[in-house]
Amino acid sequence: MPESTHNRKGKKRPRPTREAPPPVNPKPSPDWVPRLGVGLLVFGLLIIIAGYVGLGDVTASWPILGPNWPLALGFVALLGGFWTLTKWQ
């Protein structure tokens, strides 16, 4: 039977102890981070609602997305707001 690596020739070696690293306090985010995040969320929601209420008629002649421009812009703003708020500490 192989010998234990911690008990060689009758001598016991002390096991190494692990020390927990000191807690790291993250630096707080600047004041503009939550304001920008909430602002983008509100802006995106308002643009999506405006697209359903009547802004879609204005953008119907725009190329590529047609009347769906407010919906696409609103979702991009919502995603930007959520992404910004994940950086808030």
Side-chain angles (χ1 to χ4, degrees):
M1 166 121 337
E3 291 184 22
S4 172
T5 57
H6 290 282
N7 189 7
R8 296 185 183 166
K9 298 181 185 176
K11 296 179 183 177
K12 291 191 175 186
R13 290 188 301 166
R15 292 183 179 245
T17 58
R18 292 187 183 181
E19 293 182 15
V24 178
N25 295 333
K27 293 188 333 188
S29 299
D31 291 339
W32 59 267
V33 172
R35 292 178 188 167
L36 176 66
V38 172
L40 284 172
L41 290 176
V42 171
F43 175 72
L45 184 63
L46 290 177
I47 290 294
I48 290 174
I49 291 172
Y52 282 113
V53 171
L55 191 60
D57 298 335
V58 175
T59 61
S61 63
W62 290 9
I64 302 173
L65 293 177
N68 294 329
W69 273 104
L71 188 63
L73 181 65
F75 277 122
V76 167
L78 286 174
L79 288 173
F82 283 126
W83 182 81
T84 304
L85 288 177
T86 61
K87 306 300 178 196
W88 183 24
Q89 296 180 5

